[in-house]
Amino acid sequence: MRLASPPTNRLLATMAALLPWAAPQSDMATKLRDPRLLLLHAAEFDPRVEVPTLPEALTWSREEQRAAAVDSANGLYSDYFVVQFIDRVTPADRATLAELGVEAIAYVPNNAYLVRTPAAALPAFASWPRVRALVPFQPAYRIDLDLLAGAASAGDAPLEVLIELFRGCDSATATRELVELGVELDEPDAGFRTRLLARLPANRLTALAHVRDVQWIAPLSQLVRRGAVPLASTAAGMAAPLAPLPNDTTTWVIQSDVSGSTPVWANGVLGDGVIIGHIDGALDLAACWFNDPAVSAPDPTHRKVVSHHGSYTNSDSHGTHTAGSAAGDQEPINGVLGGNGTAYHARLAHTNDSLVNSSNFKSKLEELYSDGATIFTNSWGDDFTTAYNAWCVDIDAMMWEHQETLICFAVSNGSLLKNPENAKNVLAVGATEQSPNEGRHCTAGAGPTADGRRKPELFAPGCNIQSVNDGRSCSTTSMSGTSMACPAIAGAAALTKSYFEAGYWPSGAANAVDAFAPSGSLLKAVLINSGRDMAGESGYPTNIEGWGRLLLDHSLYFAGDARKLWVTDPGSAGAFSSSGDERTEWINVYANTSELNLCLVFPDAPGTLNSSSPVVNDLDLEVVTPNGTLYRGNVFSGGFSTTGGSTDPLNNVERVRLQTPPLGWYAVTVRANNIASSSAQSYAMVASGNLDPPAIGGFTTYGSGTAGTGGLVPTATLSGSPNLDDDVTLTIGNGRGGAAALLILGFARASTPFVGGQLLVATPWVIVPLVLDGTPGASGDGDVVVTDTLPADPALVGVIVDFQAVIADPAALQKLALSNGAEMTIGS
């Protein structure tokens, strides 16, 4: 590609004064509801009626436009645009883009994609009625505004930046162009990468944005640990500091909030089989909480540390402390249970935080994932930005691509929420004081995120916490900060994962038959559903306390508990592929001595750095009570759900909380308001309260049929879902092609002699005439498939329906061939 000379930097010195060309932030939820708006980081506008006024130095010159047109016409390279559709993007729209040779790189709210398109495809956009606008991707749309403002007064001083190239571009050619502009690249393999760490004179910054394959330029992230905070820096008005209390206290506070009571541990849920990814300072492997006398170095066979990326020769007090709170276990070494971590039977996969930079965070998460980690605790962040940046993209991409993962981050200890706890899929953790003041906020930056989403989300004790001390064998030390709360929450996630994987749900006792691997969204939903209003803070939920402090026993059900747990975690099989899809589940409240809590969580696809909002997909929660009252997710008043309000287009966590729920069946609907990703959107949902155990539906076959033509016995099988409002399919096969048949439906099994065989369905019957498909008269070629939707009627829960086919067949005894019996139990 040829690069025309970029505009001079004569405007750079006054660029800060030009920043108002970026639309001021207002209510992002309102903007997301306006299909006309294009929400770019640099400008928010209706592309049909306005063209943003951009700085001259950050728009394509006529020479550049001509050069691009010539090169595109010669097939040398494609160009970049934002294509906005007239309404929600559909799978058909994405298919049409692919047919045109257009690559959809990233979703941009509202209803738009950032695309790479060959020149030959451009005329198609003008005639495509689904397209509302086609916007050239200007240099101004490729650069972080904070970086631009800082560079305005920096002259030719060196500037360190992160450069993101478009995925799928010719990265070697793009890298060469950057070097020609005076950019110094840190990585020796930069020509094979699309995310680059770079250094350049500040007055060359705008020139970078004129390299066609550059998608984004931003400041480097700065890693800061969020622990060991002096108590004097915690929230004003907090109670007088108490003597440090060990991990033991945190454990009962987050499990039951009853002194010494640890019901999760008492029921045998200790974190067995779970590996927690831990990015922090180096661990002290000699400490008795981590030491393994039989295996000296980190190894998959090590009792506690399966891997340690980076040196552990010089251990670190912060990393050792947080690891101890998550999973430290000294019992095998000295028989002492005291001071152990929240999930003390879990193990750790560790990476030194000194190895993390702006370009490699995702690869570090993947490395720990390959070591077996699915839950991650991170007690650090960037306290110098509120941007949704590359780290946020890495977190959201990790949890989108590996949906069994959950990534926890300690929130900034400053007054305001920072980064990357502002990622969409992350669980953002703040710190309360320790018992007896666990209902009081200790430290955590207040939300919301810069684009208006609710963070922080969940709290645990984090101030005056005693945990493992490095270099002191079996001693402890005290630290304070959100760093100390995050590993406790991650440990609680490990306990919850162990709970489901051991089959505790739905019976409340370990049962291998019920065991399943939960998604990260289900773990997050259970934890947030357990959030309790912090008595020391006014209002709920708020930007200070999020969804409150963790009380795990409020959601997890064990045999004998009054409160029951209901979950749905359909995974890819139940994911939504199109906007407008919806699914309704049913729960039954038999008493209202306890409040009813519901929580929906879905992992959103990673947002684009070029947008002012990272939201891609949007699911909504709606709950209809037995008396017909509708509650929408996240519409709260006085700490509980209230009627009215609007659906929430911002957050991928939605809750409904009813203080005194009416008795009876509740319709719980998840609706796909917008599915803009190419991959289907999964979700998980939980409810807790005075609930009947979930009615589990199922299919089975029974009895024997009677042979027909060719000696073949017809078959009847059921598939799909046996639950209310879901699709169920009956397949009749192995019959005589083209034959007439009767489908007999009843509500009990029978064993009655009938035309040389057995009638397997008891009266009263419902009889439905059918004609089998297939080649007329052909042996075993006759079949029919019938699909129907079960009614959304709770009265049907638990009803058993039996099916049998009777097929006209001259070669059969009494000229009738019978299928086996198929039985369905309708679930909730």
Side-chain angles (χ1 to χ4, degrees):
M1 153 185 164
R2 295 178 302 176
L3 179 69
S5 299
T8 65
N9 293 313
R10 62 183 182 276
L11 294 181
L12 187 57
T14 57
M15 196 66 71
L18 295 174
L19 288 180
W21 51 266
Q25 288 290 316
S26 61
D27 179 15
M28 184 58 72
T30 299
K31 295 175 184 177
L32 288 170
R33 295 187 183 106
D34 188 342
R36 300 168 301 174
L37 290 181
L38 196 59
L39 303 180
L40 292 170
H41 175 79
E44 298 170 341
F45 60 101
D46 180 345
R48 268 203 176 174
V49 300
E50 58 184 311
V51 176
T53 302
L54 305 175
E56 179 185 348
L58 287 170
T59 54
W60 296 122
S61 67
R62 291 183 179 178
E63 292 80 7
E64 287 174 308
Q65 292 171 343
R66 281 196 293 268
V70 169
D71 284 349
S72 290
N74 292 333
L76 297 181
Y77 75 102
S78 299
D79 209 350
Y80 298 95
F81 294 84
V82 178
V83 55
Q84 186 184 47
F85 292 87
I86 58 174
D87 51 25
R88 298 282 192 257
V89 183
T90 68
D93 294 331
R94 291 191 288 270
T96 300
L97 288 174
E99 291 169 3
L100 293 172
V102 176
E103 183 180 359
I105 293 171
Y107 175 73
V108 178
N110 290 313
N111 307 330
Y113 284 128
L114 174 54
V115 300
R116 176 169 42 233
T117 177
L122 292 177
F125 288 111
S127 59
W128 189 0
R130 289 280 301 157
V131 171
R132 185 174 187 269
L134 186 67
V135 180
F137 198 60
Q138 295 283 359
Y141 303 150
R142 307 167 184 238
I143 191 165
D144 180 90
L145 295 182
D146 290 338
L147 177 66
L148 192 63
S153 59
D156 60 357
L159 190 67
E160 293 188 332
V161 299
L162 176 71
I163 301 174
E164 190 97 21
L165 303 178
F166 284 106
R167 59 178 171 82
C169 75
D170 182 351
S171 57
T173 299
T175 300
R176 185 165 57 251
E177 293 176 21
L178 293 173
V179 172
E180 290 172 357
L181 288 172
V183 175
E184 298 177 25
L185 300 173
D186 286 353
E187 299 92 348
D189 61 343
F192 302 96
R193 299 164 62 93
T194 56
R195 187 179 288 181
L196 309 171
L197 302 179
R199 186 179 302 101
L200 73 155
N203 59 13
R204 299 296 291 161
L205 181 63
T206 55
L208 266 63
H210 288 258
V211 176
R212 290 276 175 178
D213 287 322
V214 166
Q215 179 179 352
W216 189 244
I217 312 165
L220 296 184
S221 297
Q222 303 179 57
L223 190 151
V224 176
R225 293 179 185 170
R226 288 169 168 170
V229 179
L231 286 177
S233 69
T234 56
M238 65 175 285
L242 300 170
L245 293 172
N247 284 324
D248 305 28
T249 303
T250 298
T251 297
W252 63 253
V253 166
I254 65 176
Q255 287 191 35
S256 70
D257 204 30
V258 176
S259 180
S261 174
T262 53
V264 182
W265 283 3
N267 280 280
V269 179
L270 307 173
D272 293 88
V274 180
I275 296 176
I276 298 174
H278 181 257
I279 299 179
D280 210 309
L283 303 184
D284 181 1
L285 295 181
C288 59
W289 280 271
F290 310 120
N291 182 37
D292 185 346
V295 183
S296 59
D299 184 85
T301 63
H302 195 283
R303 75 168 185 96
K304 187 53 59 176
V305 184
V306 302
S307 64
H308 195 293
H309 301 282
S311 173
Y312 51 88
T313 303
N314 296 313
S315 60
D316 175 82
S317 59
H318 185 272
T320 300
H321 193 283
T322 57
S325 292
D329 181 13
Q330 64 174 326
E331 187 179 19
I333 302 301
N334 55 22
V336 177
L337 184 62
N340 281 350
T342 304
Y344 65 92
H345 276 194
R347 295 193 292 164
L348 298 163
H350 173 87
T351 292
N352 286 349
D353 56 11
S354 60
L355 301 177
V356 176
N357 61 39
S358 296
S359 70
N360 70 2
F361 183 35
K362 174 79 164 10
S363 67
K364 297 304 179 186
L365 292 170
E366 293 276 8
E367 190 172 49
L368 294 175
Y369 177 78
S370 69
D371 296 333
T374 53
I375 295 168
F376 299 81
T377 181
N378 302 272
S379 291
W380 51 272
D382 186 347
D383 283 353
F384 302 95
T385 183
T386 61
Y388 181 89
N389 66 6
W391 277 354
C392 298
V393 169
D394 288 346
I395 292 168
D396 289 342
M398 184 72 186
M399 294 181 64
W400 176 255
E401 295 166 13
H402 305 290
Q403 297 202 358
E404 70 273 37
T405 62
L406 175 62
I407 300 174
C408 305
F409 254 91
V411 169
S412 171
N413 287 301
S415 60
L416 296 176
L417 187 93
K418 296 293 184 179
N419 162 278
E421 63 265 28
N422 58 327
K424 293 180 294 183
N425 298 335
V426 77
L427 179 56
V429 178
T432 68
E433 296 179 39
Q434 187 55 287
S435 177
N437 299 313
E438 60 266 43
R440 295 179 62 93
H441 182 281
C442 180
T443 178
T449 64
D451 56 285
R453 290 171 291 112
R454 175 170 285 120
K455 305 279 181 176
E457 291 164 299
L458 204 57
F459 282 69
C463 289
N464 273 328
I465 305 300
Q466 270 190 345
S467 188
V468 184
N469 192 10
D470 75 309
R472 298 292 188 275
S473 185
C474 292
S475 69
T476 62
T477 189
S478 175
M479 292 187 182
S480 291
T482 56
S483 278
M484 286 59 252
C486 189
I489 296 288
L495 295 178
T496 305
K497 180 178 175 67
S498 183
Y499 172 91
F500 289 116
E501 291 183 339
Y504 279 83
W505 187 82
S507 69
N511 185 348
V513 174
D514 294 325
F516 70 97
S519 68
S521 293
L522 179 58
L523 300 180
K524 185 175 178 181
V526 170
L527 296 179
I528 289 180
N529 196 64
S530 304
R532 300 291 84 203
D533 187 1
M534 291 160 56
E537 300 299 322
S538 60
Y540 180 85
T542 69
N543 291 330
I544 298 292
E545 68 169 301
W547 294 111
R549 63 184 183 88
L550 177 64
L551 185 58
L552 196 55
D553 194 44
H554 190 78
S555 284
L556 293 187
Y557 168 69
F558 295 103
D561 289 351
R563 287 181 61 83
K564 305 295 195 302
L565 173 66
W566 173 92
V567 309
T568 182
D569 193 16
S572 58
F576 298 122
S577 57
S578 300
S579 302
D581 289 350
E582 64 179 55
R583 186 169 292 107
T584 298
E585 311 266 5
W586 297 84
I587 61 173
N588 187 32
V589 175
Y590 67 86
N592 54 19
T593 56
S594 181
E595 66 184 58
L596 174 64
N597 299 119
L598 299 101
C599 184
L600 165 71
V601 172
F602 61 95
D604 196 11
T608 177
L609 299 169
N610 306 95
S611 175
S612 59
S613 169
V615 171
V616 177
N617 295 333
D618 177 30
L619 302 186
D620 292 314
L621 172 64
E622 292 183 352
V623 177
V624 177
T625 69
N627 58 20
T629 303
L630 169 65
Y631 293 95
R632 295 185 173 91
N634 293 352
V635 179
F636 274 69
S637 177
F640 291 92
S641 295
T642 188
T643 57
S646 302
T647 58
D648 182 350
L650 274 174
N651 294 286
N652 60 345
V653 173
E654 295 198 13
R655 289 193 68 187
V656 167
R657 186 184 183 213
L658 302 179
Q659 187 172 24
T660 309
L663 306 187
W665 285 94
Y666 286 66
V668 182
T669 299
V670 180
R671 182 171 291 109
N673 181 49
N674 186 32
I675 304 298
S677 61
S678 57
S679 299
Q681 176 64 63
S682 66
Y683 69 93
M685 188 163 48
V686 305
S688 60
N690 300 130
L691 307 175
D692 275 337
I696 307 299
F699 304 126
T700 190
T701 57
Y702 64 96
S704 301
T706 302
T709 298
L712 298 176
V713 178
T715 59
T717 57
L718 289 160
S719 60
S721 169
N723 297 327
L724 298 180
D725 210 21
D726 284 350
D727 290 339
V728 61
T729 297
L730 173 69
T731 301
I732 299 170
N734 226 27
R736 181 172 177 267
L742 295 177
L743 176 62
I744 303 175
L745 291 76
F747 299 96
R749 297 186 186 186
S751 181
T752 306
F754 181 73
V755 294
Q758 285 189 325
L759 188 65
L760 301 172
V761 179
T763 57
W765 301 325
V766 175
I767 298 177
V768 180
L770 299 169
V771 176
L772 302 187
D773 298 329
T775 304
S779 172
D781 199 29
D783 58 55
V784 67
V785 178
V786 180
T787 298
D788 203 354
T789 302
L790 290 171
D793 184 354
L796 296 177
V797 172
V799 170
I800 296 173
V801 186
D802 293 274
F803 304 85
Q804 186 179 25
V806 179
I807 301 169
D809 190 333
L813 190 65
Q814 303 295 327
K815 298 184 179 182
L816 293 174
L818 306 179
S819 76
N820 58 280
E823 186 172 83
M824 171 177 64
T825 302
I826 300 177
S828 57

